[in-house]
């Protein structure tokens, strides 16, 4: 029987009530008395020197209160980067300044040049057109290979546009080369991991307000991690101490990574609110979001897989060009390095791995983490090259994977790329996926498709990811400029209701429900007795927010730790009230009992006693029942699984139709199966969107050719069938108290290679061995034509 | 500026608008009905879907002045009279048809229009109908399930009433 | 958006008078124009809303002709039982424009007046040799379409109705551009006693066009087989991130065959 409450139950989401009745409160829903509207004048060219910037005429226009340029922000710092990568020679990455408003040069289409504050948005937009801006255009740096020539420099002080040249595992470089040279078979593949735009449905917005009488700043912003924004913006940009700066991330309409980062616009509105003495509101249009939200992926990779005569993987070598865009976004440098190189072992016991990543500045929008972040790029190249190897060697792709899987009895397993997997069973999820996908019936389905002139393909991919980010000491050693623990305060109120204050931030993940399930389960109370508070630095303890599939594994663990402390203290109080030894007190189902007796106290009695300490061990114990914990994980968590995709290709048009998609995941223990499945569905749609539809394309001048939904193909309901998902293969995480692994990114990590492998399977009879994503009709048709020619 | 009057969720309202004021701006800023959202500027995402005289439309692509005299229903007007969730809203909660909630008002308004004209749509018809509603969180899987479930509940209620 | 006056006349004469204002522009459903205004790509002094003019709305089917008022929305055409009985291909085409909400506002007159090179209606109008009725004259389809976003309409002229001769059989085959869901290539095929017409949208840099070779072949024998060996040159086809000129030229052939097959 499925549980109907607590851990393991598909509790309905409490947050849905407000969202379904139009009562959610997103940043743009907030209006402050006397607020001004902010509009940014953005560069319409990718690269150039600002020759003239005259705002006088614009400033005199109706409704305009102020116009600011870089000159006005001279005392303000640049947007900081939160991660420093050290290159192959031991030198720090190049970290050019990222000004709030462009200084001297513009470096991408959308780079903000001036900010206009007016009584209405239209007035601000009108004034923007009256600003005299002349830009002397410079050659745009767009193509990464060409960028390395250094003929045109995005940043004058970064030669070759090279942010860093990183090698990992450096000690293995020669051994890998030797193994490849001597291997029985080497499969080589060049591929592109296409650039994506995160596109949460809520565009970014920010409202700054300043209370002069109290010298207090407030920023409402669309953020996945308000404390991180407060820290970065307060300490590095605006020099506002924490106690004078409140950051609120209210209901946030999706993030997928793009709302992790500290953005120039939120620093500007915070600064401007004080400068002009009125609240300042900015809301991005979708068109603006395409030019200012950090984008994702954009790797060009060459991968080589070496196998011995028995088809064991013996070595793997990769070279990647990773696009940073024009400036370093908050976590950009760690994506192609530590979140990518460390995953190249995948689910396999490849003993020798070496990768070289060159991070390149270009005149494009900055690139940073997007759902999966580095791990989809690692998984895609690995699962594609394995499939290609199987095809070249005439092997069953499932068998080749099985042969090389890390076996279930080998855990904990130390990979050659730094991370140690704690647990897993990759064969189990592969078996499950193949069974769910009716692999045995594929031949008949293929024949049926062929009878209709269609090509049917069957593709699979295994994946593993390191998430539940992250052990602070480890990431600190790798260049992180922050710790990656999470904090939680559990406050038991006098009548026994419970308020939980978490540093995690929910923007679709359902924390308000899931976290309450955990607490209710531990305390034996109704979920309705537990309230989850998040998203306001004035209310929640310093925490790192939500990304990297970390909320339950890290944030949930912090809550568990605090509840454990609460129970321990409550037992002491109960022992005093029951006049028993503390060691004899047992707590279960909300009742404190004395072992071996009928003596019992309810949860409410103990809570009340904590706050009305008339009969209380006051010498030994403080009144009150409130505990805070900071949980720093011992390791990442390693969810893994196997995905199967079945497609039908129309060879006449090149159109790919997904016929079936199966996901078998091992997420360890699951708190709310309904929510976990929803997370997988969403990840799959984003992964399949990457593989089939989505592409951020820059032309040679650095203009984004897919700068709206007219050209950037967002997945729609009719693009996919319903998905078959399963999470019954469970190897619990060994190092966090709930035994849980992350589930938010898995779908986006495992699905692109499964789809591409399926399409290549369908087209193999035409001799097509690779197509770069997205597999649009035109690309598929062209690949067929090229193979025919 | 011109005066417009309309009925919104059963209440007569009026206000001053410019020619360029969009219906969604009038609802959000003029009336404080912020449940109707704006997610794009090319009339594609559908976060702004409301009903005008019973038909679903994109409130970001209709001028407020063009809706003068019309009956408007927004997400705020979709619950039952006693404040409980309507069958369709309840189905979205029961089947986890929403995550971040931003596209949800438009999804509900669009689905309500579908079920009015097609009380028992197939999965294919539902997916086809949602062409103008983009969701980035759910992969649509549970939205489709929710609409199917709502259709089944409503047709059961209709049968029981007969 | 720039500021403008919004006018909603109830007669054609009032509309024509309003449109005589300098830089005044007609708006019908607004599903293309409003996004254009939001991007500040147009700056009309006044918008003259045509949807309040009663005589521009409605559908009539009589004597082998389907007449649709210019301010009739796509959903009304798609759902018209009268049209479906006489000319189902037109309902199918209208039912696949944009999305349900766009179809509830967007109008046939607006679409034909705008003549977007990827719009669906121009294919039906040209593919049937329909008549574009304006407030001052009647324009045969073959003279009406004059290239991308260009038509025979004079300044201030209003498309009041479209008159379609009902074909013996017809079909529209649309291959969607995956982002906008406009036609990447759409082909409308209509068979009349006097011959077959084939109109192509979405493909050419010159907007909707007739494919003469296919018409000749299909007029001889209305079958997919008649199209064997026929192709349009890639020269002059649109090339963008969604498809090369070669691909679009290829799709013209594929979609024409599919339209013929669907017409039966």
């Amino acid at each position: 029987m499925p549980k109907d409450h607590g851990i393991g139950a598909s509790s309905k989401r409490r947050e849905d009530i407000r969202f379904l009745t139009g009562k959610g409160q997103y940043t743009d829903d907030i209006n402050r008395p006397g607020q001004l509207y902010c509009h940014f004048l953005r560069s319409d060219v990718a690269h150039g020197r600002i020759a003239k910037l005259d705002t006088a005429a614009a400033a005199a226009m109706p409704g305009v209160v102020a116009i600011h340029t870089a000159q006005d922000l001279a005392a303000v710092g640049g947007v900081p980067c939160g991660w420093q990568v050290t290159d192959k020679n031991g030198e720090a990455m190049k970290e050019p300044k990222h000004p709030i408003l462009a200084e001297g040069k513009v470096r991408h289409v959308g780079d903000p040049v001036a900010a206009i504050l007016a009584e209405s948005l239209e007035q601000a937009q009108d004034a923007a057109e009256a600003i005299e801006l002349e830009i002397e255009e410079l050659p745009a740096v767009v193509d990464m290979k060409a960028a390395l020539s250094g003929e045109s420099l995005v940043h004058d002080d970064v030669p070759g546009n090279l942010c860093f040249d990183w090698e990992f595992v450096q000690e293995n470089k020669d051994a890998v080369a030797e193994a490849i040279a001597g291997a029985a078979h080497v499969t080589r593949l060049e591929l592109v991991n296409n650039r994506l735009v995160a596109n949460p449905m809520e565009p970014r917005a920010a409202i700054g307000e300043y209370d002069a009488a109290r010298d207090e700043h407030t920023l409402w912003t669309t953020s996945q991690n308000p404390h991180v924004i407060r820290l970065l913006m307060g300490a590095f940009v605006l020099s506002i101490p924490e106690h004078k700066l409140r950051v609120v991330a209210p209901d946030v309409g999706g993030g997928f990574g793009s709302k992790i980062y500290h953005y120039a616009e939120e620093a500007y509105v915070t600064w401007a609110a004080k400068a002009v003495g009125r609240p300042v509101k900015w809301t991005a249009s979708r068109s603006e979001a395409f030019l200012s939200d950090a984008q994702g992926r954009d790797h060009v990779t060459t991968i080589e897989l070496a196998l011995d005569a028995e088809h064991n993987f013996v070595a793997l070598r990769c070279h990647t060009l990773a696009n940073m865009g024009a400036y370093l976004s908050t976590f950009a440098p760690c994506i192609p390095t530590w979140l990518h190189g460390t995953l190249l072992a995948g689910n396999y016991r490849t003993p020798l791995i070496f990768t070289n990543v060159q991070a390149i500045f270009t005149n494009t929008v900055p690139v940073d983490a997007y759902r999966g972040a580095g791990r989809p790029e690692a998984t895609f190249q690995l699962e594609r090259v394995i499939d290609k190897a199987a095809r070249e060697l005439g092997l069953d792709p499932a068998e080749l994977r099985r042969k090389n899987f890390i076996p279930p009895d080998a855990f904990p397993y130390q990979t050659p790329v730094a991370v140690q997997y704690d647990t897993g069973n990759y064969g189990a999820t592969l078996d499950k996926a193949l069974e769910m996908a009716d692999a045995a019936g594929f031949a008949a389905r293929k024949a049926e498709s062929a009878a209709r002139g269609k090509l049917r393909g069957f593709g699979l991919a295994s994946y593993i990811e390191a998430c539940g980010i992250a052990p602070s000491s480890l990431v600190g050693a790798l260049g992180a400029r922050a710790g990656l623990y999470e904090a939680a305060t559990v406050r038991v109120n006098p009548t026994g209701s419970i308020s939980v204050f978490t540093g995690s931030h929910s923007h679709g993940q359902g924390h308000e429900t899931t976290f309450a399930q955990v607490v209710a389960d531990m305390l034996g109370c109704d979920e309705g007795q537990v309230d989850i508070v998040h998203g306001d630095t004035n209310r929640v303890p310093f925490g790192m927010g939500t990304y990297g599939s970390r909320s339950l594994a890290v944030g949930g663990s912090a809550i568990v730790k605090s509840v454990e402390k609460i129970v321990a203290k409550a037992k002491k109080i109960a022992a005093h009230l029951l006049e028993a030894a503390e060691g004899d007190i047992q707590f279960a189902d909300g009742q404190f009992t004395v072992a071996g007796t009928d003596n019992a106290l309810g949860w409410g009695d103990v809570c009340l006693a904590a706050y009305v300490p008339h009969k209380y061990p006051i010498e030994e114990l403080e009144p009150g029942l409130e505990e805070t914990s900071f949980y720093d994980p011992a390791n990442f968590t390693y969810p893994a699984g196997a995905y199967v995709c079945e497609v039908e290709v129309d060879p006449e048009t090149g159109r790919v139709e997904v016929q079936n998609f199966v996901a078998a995941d091992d997420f360890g223990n699951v708190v709310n199966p309904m929510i976990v499945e929803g997370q997988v569905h969403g990840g799959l749609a984003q992964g399949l969107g990457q593989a089939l539809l989505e592409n951020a394309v820059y032309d040679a001048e650095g203009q984004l050719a897919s700068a709206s939904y007219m050209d950037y193909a967002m997945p729609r309901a009719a693009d996919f069938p319903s998905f078959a998902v399963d999470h019954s293969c469970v190897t619990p995480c060994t190092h966090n108290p709930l035994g849980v692994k992350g589930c938010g990114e898995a779908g986006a990590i495992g699905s692109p290679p499964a789809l591409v492998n399926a399409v290549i399977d369908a087209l193999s009879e035409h001799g097509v061995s690779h197509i770069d994503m997205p597999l649009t009709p035109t690309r598929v048709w062209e690949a067929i034509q090229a193979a025919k020619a | 500026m011109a005066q417009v009057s309309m009925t919104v969720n059963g209440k007569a309202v009026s206000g001053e608008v410019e020619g360029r004021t969009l219906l969604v701006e009038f609802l959000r800023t003029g009336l404080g009905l912020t449940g109707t959202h704006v997610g794009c500027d090319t009339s594609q995402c559908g976060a702004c879907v409301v009903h005008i005289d019973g038909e679903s439309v994109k409130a970001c692509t209709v001028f407020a002045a063009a809706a003068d005299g019309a009956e408007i229903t927004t997400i705020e007007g979709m619950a039952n009279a006693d404040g409980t969730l309507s069958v369709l809203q309840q189905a979205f909660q029961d089947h986890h048809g929403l995550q971040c909630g931003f596209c949800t008002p438009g999804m509900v308004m669009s689905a309500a229009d579908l079920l009015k004209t097609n009380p028992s749509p197939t999965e294919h018809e539902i997916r086809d109908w949602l062409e103008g509603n983009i969701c980035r969180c759910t992969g649509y899987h549970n939205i489709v399930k929710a609409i199917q479930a709502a259709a089944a509940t409503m047709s059961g209620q209709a049968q029981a009433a007969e | 958006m720039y500021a403008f006056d919004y006018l909603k006349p109830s007669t054609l004469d009032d509309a024509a008078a309003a449109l005589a204002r300098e830089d005044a522009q007609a708006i019908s459903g607004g599903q293309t124009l409003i996004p254009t205004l939001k991007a500040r790509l147009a700056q009309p002094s006044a918008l003259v809303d045509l949807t309040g003019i009663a005589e521009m709305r409605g559908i009539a089917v009589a004597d082998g002709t389907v007449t649709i008022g210019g301010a009739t929305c796509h959903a009304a055409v798609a759902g018209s039982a009268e049209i479906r009985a006489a000319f189902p291909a037109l309902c199918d085409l209208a039912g696949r424009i944009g999305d349900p909400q766009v179809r509830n506002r967007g109008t046939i007159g607006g679409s034909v007046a705008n003549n977007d090179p990827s719009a669906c209606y121009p294919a039906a109008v040209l593919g049937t040799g329909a008549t574009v009725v304006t407030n001052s004259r009647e324009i045969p389809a073959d003279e009406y379409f004059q290239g991308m976003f260009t038509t025979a309409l004079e300044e201030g002229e209003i498309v009041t109705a479209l008159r379609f001769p009902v074909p013996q059989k017809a079909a529209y085959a649309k291959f969607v551009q995956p982002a906008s869901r406009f036609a990447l290539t759409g082909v409308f095929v209509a068979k009349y006693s006097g011959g077959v017409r084939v109109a192509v949208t979405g493909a050419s840099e010159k907007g909707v066009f007739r494919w003469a070779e296919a018409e000749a072949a299909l007029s001889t024998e209305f079958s997919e087989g008649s199209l064997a060996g026929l192709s349009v040159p890639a020269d002059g086809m649109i090339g963008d991130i969604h498809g090369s000129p070669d691909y679009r030229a290829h799709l013209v052939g594929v979609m024409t065959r599919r339209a013929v097959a669907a017409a039966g």
Side-chain angles (χ1 to χ4, degrees):
Chain A
M1 267 296 281
K3 287 181 72 174
D4 63 0
H5 68 281
I7 293 173
S10 285
S11 298
K12 291 177 196 172
R13 298 200 330 165
R14 52 181 65 185
E15 44 272 80
D16 290 358
I17 306 296
R18 66 179 188 271
F19 296 142
L20 280 164
T21 53
K23 302 295 184 194
Q25 194 181 49
Y26 301 87
T27 301
D28 188 57
D29 299 341
I30 297 167
N31 291 293
R32 303 298 301 165
Q35 73 189 11
L36 295 170
Y37 293 83
C38 173
H39 175 72
F40 291 95
L41 173 65
R42 296 178 184 275
S43 175
D44 58 4
V45 301
H47 195 195
R49 290 191 197 285
I50 298 171
K52 182 180 180 189
L53 179 56
D54 186 343
T55 61
M61 290 189 48
V64 176
V65 172
I67 299 181
H68 296 114
T69 66
Q71 252 183 339
D72 303 295
L73 295 163
V76 168
V79 181
C81 180
W83 200 294
Q84 179 178 284
V85 164
T86 304
D87 79 1
K88 63 182 182 184
N89 301 317
E91 287 171 18
M93 66 186 189
K94 301 287 190 297
E95 198 174 349
K97 185 179 179 185
H98 180 181
I100 303 296
L101 296 172
E103 289 174 359
K105 257 180 105 171
V106 292
R107 294 186 175 86
H108 67 86
V109 174
D111 208 357
V113 174
I116 303 101
L117 301 180
E119 301 291 346
S120 78
L121 181 60
E122 290 79 10
Q123 287 170 331
Q125 288 170 337
D126 288 342
E129 291 181 5
I131 291 176
E132 292 179 48
L133 170 64
E134 285 171 22
I135 297 173
E136 283 169 13
E137 271 196 70
L138 296 166
V141 180
V142 178
D143 178 78
M144 285 194 280
K145 284 177 190 160
L148 281 169
S149 74
E151 280 170 29
S152 181
L153 294 179
V154 178
H155 299 276
D156 297 347
D157 52 352
V158 180
N161 296 301
L162 186 63
C163 178
F164 57 78
D165 189 336
W166 183 76
E167 291 183 347
F168 180 71
V169 173
Q170 222 166 3
E171 305 85 86
N172 288 347
K173 186 175 185 175
D174 295 341
V176 167
E178 242 170 76
I180 288 174
H185 183 85
V186 178
T187 296
R188 194 169 184 278
L189 184 59
E190 288 181 38
L191 53 86
V192 173
N193 203 291
N194 44 322
R195 185 188 278 234
L196 302 175
V197 181
N199 275 311
M201 292 320 298
E202 179 205 23
R204 285 192 298 119
I207 305 170
E209 186 168 70
Y210 179 67
D211 180 340
R214 292 183 175 83
D215 186 29
E216 286 174 0
H217 301 258
T218 302
L219 168 69
W220 288 266
T221 185
T222 48
S223 175
Q224 301 177 213
N225 31 237
H227 267 294
V228 174
I229 303 307
R230 189 183 72 169
L231 178 68
L232 290 176
M233 184 175 81
F236 298 100
V237 186
L238 299 178
S239 303
I240 304 169
E242 287 93 333
H243 67 294
K244 293 294 182 189
L245 175 58
R246 175 185 178 195
V247 178
V248 184
D251 285 328
V252 173
F256 316 112
S258 70
K259 292 173 181 168
I260 297 171
Y261 324 116
H262 177 40
Y263 285 98
E265 293 90 353
E266 52 198 2
Y268 172 75
V269 299
T270 307
W271 175 87
K274 183 176 181 182
V276 299
R278 288 173 66 177
V280 171
K281 179 174 184 173
W282 169 77
T283 303
S285 67
R286 179 60 59 187
S287 297
E288 202 173 8
F290 270 99
L291 303 179
S292 65
D293 289 7
Q295 300 177 351
R297 315 279 194 263
D298 205 348
H299 287 192
V300 175
T301 292
T302 303
I303 180 167
E304 296 158 288
L305 175 67
L307 300 92
D308 68 14
E310 284 76 47
H311 308 136
N312 295 299
F313 302 162
V314 294
L316 184 77
R317 181 166 60 191
C318 320
H319 173 262
T320 290
L321 296 175
N323 205 331
M324 295 287 102
Y327 303 101
L328 289 180
S329 177
T330 309
F331 287 115
C334 86
I335 311 306
T337 53
W338 300 109
L339 288 181
H340 172 244
T342 53
L343 265 294
L344 287 169
N347 312 57
Y348 311 100
R349 45 185 179 71
T350 316
L352 287 167
I353 296 173
F354 174 77
T355 184
N356 171 217
V357 176
Q358 291 173 296
I360 316 288
F361 287 111
T362 60
N363 292 117
T364 61
V365 172
V367 178
D368 205 326
Y370 165 64
R371 202 170 195 164
R375 293 149 291 171
E377 295 91 320
T379 303
F380 184 72
Q381 56 184 295
L382 194 56
E383 292 298 314
R384 281 289 299 125
V385 81
I386 291 170
D387 233 60
K388 187 162 184 256
R391 208 162 284 286
E392 287 173 355
L393 294 165
L395 302 171
D396 174 359
E399 283 315 308
L400 181 60
R401 286 178 170 85
R402 258 195 206 100
K403 183 177 180 62
N404 285 282
F405 275 158
I406 297 160
D409 59 3
F411 295 94
Y413 180 82
Q414 178 61 52
T415 72
V417 278
V419 290
Q420 189 187 68
Y421 302 158
D422 60 340
T423 178
N425 185 347
Y426 310 138
T429 52
L430 180 57
D431 291 345
K432 184 80 195 172
L434 291 172
E435 176 206 320
M436 289 166 71
D438 184 22
F442 174 70
R445 294 192 296 276
K446 186 173 174 71
E448 190 276 325
S449 293
R452 289 183 286 107
K454 302 290 197 286
L455 306 170
R456 204 172 183 94
F458 189 89
L460 63 96
S462 290
Y463 80 91
I464 186 167
E465 57 160 325
C467 61
I469 289 173
S472 294
S473 62
L474 174 63
V475 296
L478 304 181
R481 288 163 168 163
L484 287 171
Y485 47 81
E486 193 48 86
T489 296
V490 174
R491 175 182 302 157
V492 178
N493 301 306
T495 65
S497 66
I498 298 132
S499 303
V500 177
F501 302 84
T502 171
S504 296
H505 184 277
S506 184
H507 33 278
Q509 295 87 344
H511 297 166
E512 293 170 35
T513 302
T514 307
F515 289 171
Q517 286 177 256
V518 171
V519 174
D521 201 274
M522 293 179 72
L523 294 179
C525 66
D526 283 346
E527 290 168 24
Q529 253 182 282
V530 186
D531 191 29
I532 306 296
V533 178
H534 63 98
D536 182 342
T537 58
N538 271 18
R539 298 188 71 192
V540 305
F542 186 90
M544 300 307 292
T546 288
Y547 42 82
S549 302
R550 68 192 302 272
S551 292
L552 187 60
V554 187
S557 297
I559 293 171
V560 169
K561 292 286 173 196
S562 289
V563 174
E564 285 171 353
K565 292 180 192 170
I566 292 280
V567 170
K569 182 171 178 183
K571 279 183 175 178
K572 287 185 182 158
I573 301 169
H576 184 85
L577 294 173
L578 290 164
E579 296 174 344
E582 190 190 327
D584 291 338
I585 301 293
Q586 293 172 337
F587 177 66
D589 299 327
Q591 289 281 317
F592 296 87
T593 51
V594 182
T597 75
D598 293 336
N599 291 349
L601 261 183
W603 167 253
D605 299 320
V606 174
C607 299
L608 193 62
Y611 288 94
V612 187
H614 295 164
K615 184 188 174 194
Y616 198 83
I618 204 77
E619 296 81 13
E620 304 151 37
L621 214 55
E622 293 173 13
L625 205 46
E626 174 168 332
E627 299 288 350
T628 295
S629 303
F630 286 73
Y631 178 82
D632 202 290
N635 193 352
F636 295 94
T637 75
Y638 300 95
Y643 290 1
V644 175
C645 182
E646 197 165 316
V647 298
E648 198 175 74
V649 180
D650 178 351
E652 278 197 318
T653 62
R655 185 166 180 272
V656 175
E657 199 170 284
V658 179
Q659 296 288 327
N660 191 26
F661 200 97
V662 167
D665 295 289
D666 173 0
F667 294 133
N669 297 329
V670 165
V671 171
N672 185 318
M674 175 192 81
I675 287 177
V676 165
E677 288 177 11
Q679 289 294 308
V680 176
H681 297 153
L684 293 179
Q686 289 184 4
L688 295 174
Q690 166 168 31
L692 210 50
L693 296 162
E694 300 177 39
N695 205 14
V697 183
Y698 287 89
D699 69 14
E701 280 74 48
Q703 294 288 340
L704 182 59
S706 48
S708 80
Y709 292 156
M710 295 298 281
D711 288 299
Y712 189 91
M714 289 288 278
R716 313 295 219 284
D719 289 324
F720 314 121
S722 288
F723 307 120
V725 303
D726 176 88
H727 47 83
S728 66
C729 302
V730 174
T731 60
C733 173
T734 59
H735 59 79
N736 64 42
L738 293 167
V740 297
K741 307 176 184 181
C743 71
E745 297 165 289
I749 294 171
S751 57
L755 183 137
V756 176
N757 288 341
V759 173
I760 298 304
D761 182 53
L763 299 182
S764 57
E765 62 195 68
H766 286 280
V768 176
S769 62
H770 182 70
I771 307 175
D772 276 323
M773 299 186 292
L775 273 53
T776 56
T778 184
R779 285 189 178 187
V780 171
W781 180 78
E782 278 161 13
I784 296 171
Q785 303 316 305
K788 275 186 190 165
Chain B
M1 297 291 269
Q3 181 81 14
V4 293
S5 302
M6 57 189 92
T7 306
V8 178
N9 300 329
K11 279 186 213 145
V13 300
S14 58
E16 291 269 302
V17 297
E18 287 188 89
R20 63 183 165 181
T21 304
L22 295 165
L23 177 59
V24 70
E25 293 167 348
F26 181 66
L27 293 170
R28 286 180 57 81
T29 311
L31 304 179
L33 295 172
T34 55
T36 303
H37 297 150
V38 178
C40 78
D41 42 22
T42 49
S43 306
Q44 283 161 307
C45 82
C48 65
V49 172
V50 301
H51 294 180
I52 297 185
D53 297 330
E55 288 181 341
S56 60
V57 302
K58 292 182 170 171
C60 77
T61 316
V62 176
F63 292 119
D68 188 32
E71 294 232 7
I72 312 290
T73 309
T74 71
I75 189 67
E76 288 91 343
M78 291 299 280
N80 297 324
D82 64 359
T84 57
L85 297 183
S86 65
V87 168
L88 180 58
Q89 290 168 313
Q90 188 60 55
F92 268 75
Q93 188 193 28
D94 290 349
H95 296 276
H96 191 27
L98 64 151
Q99 291 183 24
C100 82
F102 196 80
C103 78
T104 306
M107 283 287 174
V108 170
M109 300 311 290
S110 182
D113 193 14
L114 168 67
L115 295 181
K116 202 178 57 184
T117 49
N118 183 356
S120 32
T122 63
E123 174 173 349
H124 176 81
E125 286 171 332
I126 293 169
R127 288 182 179 274
D128 217 38
W129 178 270
L130 296 178
E131 175 84 27
N133 293 87
I134 300 177
C135 170
R136 193 56 152 170
C137 293
T138 64
Y140 303 99
H141 180 110
N142 284 339
I143 292 174
V144 174
K145 260 171 74 178
I147 296 171
Q148 284 174 315
T153 307
M154 287 173 179
S155 68
Q157 286 176 347
Q159 276 173 5
E162 276 164 16
Chain C
M1 270 183 275
Y2 297 106
F4 51 78
D5 293 330
Y6 171 84
L7 308 167
K8 194 171 181 180
S10 54
T11 69
L12 263 179
D13 286 346
D14 286 353
L19 283 169
R21 240 171 92 168
E22 194 174 350
D23 294 327
Q25 190 172 352
I27 182 167
S28 192
Q31 303 301 286
T32 302
L33 181 54
I34 293 176
T36 306
L37 293 166
K38 285 185 201 172
R40 294 193 159 216
L41 296 172
Q43 193 170 7
S45 62
L47 283 187
V48 181
D49 187 338
L50 304 177
T51 59
I53 302 168
E55 63 188 282
M56 281 183 58
R57 302 188 88 124
I59 289 164
V61 181
D63 306 328
T65 302
V66 171
T67 305
I68 303 172
T72 307
C73 70
H74 309 324
V77 174
S80 164
E82 263 184 297
I83 301 179
R84 184 160 290 281
F87 188 3
L90 194 58
C91 300
D92 295 341
L93 175 145
R96 296 187 63 205
I97 298 172
D99 57 55
Q101 290 72 40
V102 166
R103 293 195 286 275
N104 279 337
R105 295 296 292 183
T107 67
I108 189 168
S111 172
V112 171
N114 188 47
N115 190 22
D116 186 297
S118 301
C120 296
Y121 262 133
V125 173
L126 189 63
T128 57
T131 302
V132 181
V133 183
T134 77
N135 54 337
S136 57
R137 58 185 169 144
E138 298 188 356
I139 311 170
D142 285 325
E143 293 165 25
Y144 177 83
F145 297 103
Q146 301 188 348
M148 230 183 233
F149 298 109
T150 311
T151 69
L153 291 178
E154 302 288 340
E155 197 74 19
E157 192 172 3
I158 298 166
V159 177
T160 57
L162 278 300
R163 279 212 302 266
F164 295 90
V166 173
Q168 292 169 341
K169 46 174 93 172
Y172 178 60
K174 176 182 180 181
F175 194 82
V176 297
Q177 194 260 54
S180 69
R181 311 278 165 147
F182 274 70
L184 187 67
T185 292
V187 178
F188 197 94
V189 172
K191 181 175 187 293
Y192 292 91
S193 57
V196 174
R197 290 175 71 102
V198 177
V200 180
T201 189
S204 169
E205 288 178 339
K206 293 186 174 150
V208 66
F209 72 95
R210 284 173 69 184
W211 184 12
E213 291 86 345
E215 290 184 350
L218 291 168
S219 296
T220 306
E221 189 198 321
F222 192 78
S223 74
E224 284 184 78
S226 306
L227 297 165
L230 294 188
S231 62
V232 296
D235 199 31
M237 293 288 140
I238 298 169
D240 59 19
I241 59 172
H242 307 289
S244 63
D246 280 337
Y247 181 61
R248 281 188 167 84
H250 167 75
L251 278 184
V252 171
V254 176
M255 290 297 119
T256 305
R257 283 203 306 281
R258 291 186 182 181
V260 169

